[in-house]
Amino acid sequence: MAGLESITARPLGSPLELLSELDECNRELSMLCDALTLQRIGSEVNAPRPVLDGPQHGFLTTTIWLSSWLGEAWGASLKFLVDSGSQVEVDVTEARRFVHVLGRLRTFFAHNLDIDVERDRETRDTCYKWFKEACGSQVPAASQWIHCVVELLRGAVQYLKLAIEVARAIELHPDANKLCTVWRNRLNRTEVAVDYLSSLQRAAGDLGLDKVDLTGVRNRYRRRWSQAFEVMSTDVDVNDATARFMEQALLAETSAVLPITAREVMEVLGLQPGEKVATALRLSQVVHSLNRDLDRTQLVAALKVVWKRLVVGQVEELGTLSVQTRSQGSE
């Protein structure tokens, strides 16, 4: 019981005081970002603030709110600052630990974990360990959830204070201009600068799609787009990449379910499992989109014709060209 006694003996602090401290960190870091990059630090946080009328419910709403704010809305800026810690000689070990734990806690409460899956086991074990450190038990009792709320908010405050320390160190660094440019470029590839919904509206207009839930499409794909932009080369045209992402998402969302399967395609075209089967299915999608009235038999027949003309015929043509080239070379 010594561990539990040491936890309960800590100054508990007030969740409301910690929320107030988070608001102060929010303002300070937002102003630093504005001063150093001339950009907003992130997108608007849509998740509601925590409801602290009950400790367990308060913990759940705090987890969701912090994940939406720190992990998503401000994700690009905070990831940049944490990644830049070593360059400006700020130890961000605890910040990395907090980000990891916050992500696992959200998964723990928002998903049905499959303990046969290694990542899910790791999520469970990470959360049990954190609960033990926060309140003295791997499975908090009703009276212990308040300790978990306070510990989570303390961690968030520490995380933002480390981010502020990095930002101030960047401002004073000899390579400040370069670092600020990198930060600004990161933000230029997020919803801070790229309006996904407006881009989707333009793409939908170009594709003649007027009955698509564009807000739903944005919500389903926004994280995937953000991750793709994050690893994209800085010399890529953002507008062009955005248009391609939007168009691909809309095409995927509006593609009809094919009346044929990969097995049927392999049998009809004489293909072995592999990339050609995927190509043939994509070709089937094009053929089907040109004539939605085709039934299974008609689609298979049309696919055979198109496959022969576009694929088999092209291979034969390339073979003939290759023979001609070798013949000309020998002369």
Side-chain angles (χ1 to χ4, degrees):
M1 297 294 291
L4 178 58
E5 289 173 359
S6 65
I7 289 169
T8 55
R10 296 175 189 166
L12 188 57
S14 163
L16 292 178
E17 291 174 357
L18 290 166
L19 283 172
S20 178
E21 196 169 356
L22 276 174
D23 289 339
E24 292 176 10
C25 291
N26 179 325
R27 286 190 289 271
E28 183 175 355
L29 191 53
S30 294
M31 291 181 68
L32 280 167
C33 179
D34 180 62
L36 297 178
T37 71
L38 303 180
Q39 285 279 22
R40 288 184 296 117
I41 191 169
S43 56
E44 182 181 353
V45 182
N46 295 318
R49 285 175 70 89
V51 178
L52 302 174
D53 53 0
Q56 183 173 5
H57 184 241
F59 183 81
L60 292 174
T61 56
T62 300
T63 300
I64 293 169
W65 176 64
L66 289 175
S67 296
S68 298
W69 170 22
L70 306 179
E72 295 177 11
W74 285 22
S77 281
L78 291 172
K79 186 176 187 306
F80 165 76
L81 291 170
V82 171
D83 289 346
S84 301
S86 59
Q87 292 180 259
V88 295
E89 299 182 349
V90 175
D91 185 357
V92 293
T93 303
E94 286 303 310
R96 292 189 187 280
R97 179 176 181 271
F98 176 78
V99 170
H100 175 71
V101 168
L102 180 61
R104 295 305 90 210
L105 286 171
R106 171 144 187 180
T107 300
F108 185 81
F109 287 109
H111 298 279
N112 185 37
L113 300 183
D114 182 353
I115 305 306
D116 291 330
V117 177
E118 182 179 357
R119 181 169 175 78
D120 283 359
R121 287 198 304 273
E122 291 175 352
T123 293
R124 178 200 61 186
D125 294 344
T126 297
C127 293
Y128 282 167
K129 180 180 178 182
W130 186 88
F131 286 135
K132 180 74 172 178
E133 294 173 351
C135 73
S137 174
Q138 295 182 82
V139 181
S143 61
Q144 295 173 316
W145 281 108
I146 185 62
H147 293 278
C148 296
V149 173
V150 168
E151 195 63 27
L152 187 60
L153 289 171
R154 277 177 179 160
V157 168
Q158 183 182 21
Y159 177 48
L160 285 184
K161 285 184 174 180
L162 281 169
I164 290 169
E165 185 178 350
V166 172
R168 292 199 175 281
I170 286 174
E171 183 181 21
L172 301 175
H173 197 274
D175 290 330
N177 290 337
K178 180 180 178 181
L179 290 168
C180 290
T181 298
V182 173
W183 188 357
R184 186 183 309 113
N185 287 340
R186 293 274 187 95
L187 288 170
N188 285 339
R189 293 164 180 270
T190 68
E191 285 187 270
V192 170
V194 180
D195 187 338
Y196 289 155
L197 193 56
S198 295
S199 299
L200 277 169
Q201 290 169 343
R202 286 193 295 272
D206 291 341
L207 297 175
L209 302 172
D210 57 358
K211 296 181 180 179
V212 181
D213 177 10
L214 299 180
T215 301
V217 174
R218 180 197 61 184
N219 293 342
R220 285 191 291 277
Y221 285 83
R222 69 198 316 171
R223 179 173 293 185
R224 188 183 309 177
W225 293 331
S226 297
Q227 291 171 342
F229 275 127
E230 190 174 306
V231 299
M232 194 175 291
S233 171
T234 55
D235 59 1
V236 172
D237 186 287
V238 174
N239 292 328
D240 180 64
T242 301
R244 285 188 282 109
F245 287 156
M246 305 300 120
E247 291 163 0
Q248 289 171 4
L250 288 171
L251 288 173
E253 288 286 318
T254 57
S255 296
V257 177
L258 288 173
I260 59 175
T261 65
R263 284 289 172 188
E264 290 173 289
V265 167
M266 287 189 284
E267 181 180 341
V268 169
L269 301 181
L271 300 177
Q272 296 297 318
E275 292 183 5
K276 285 187 176 181
V277 178
T279 300
L281 271 179
R282 282 191 283 268
L283 185 56
S284 301
Q285 194 77 62
V286 174
V287 173
H288 190 245
S289 66
L290 291 172
N291 191 340
R292 297 295 175 96
D293 295 329
L294 293 177
D295 61 21
R296 177 178 298 186
T297 303
Q298 293 169 328
L299 179 58
V300 166
L303 176 62
K304 289 176 67 175
V305 173
V306 176
W307 182 264
K308 183 175 182 180
R309 289 179 180 174
L310 293 182
V311 181
V312 178
Q314 184 182 50
V315 170
E316 291 175 349
E317 184 178 342
L318 288 173
T320 302
L321 181 62
S322 177
V323 170
Q324 292 175 346
T325 302
R326 287 199 302 271
S327 177
Q328 292 171 358
S330 63
E331 294 176 1

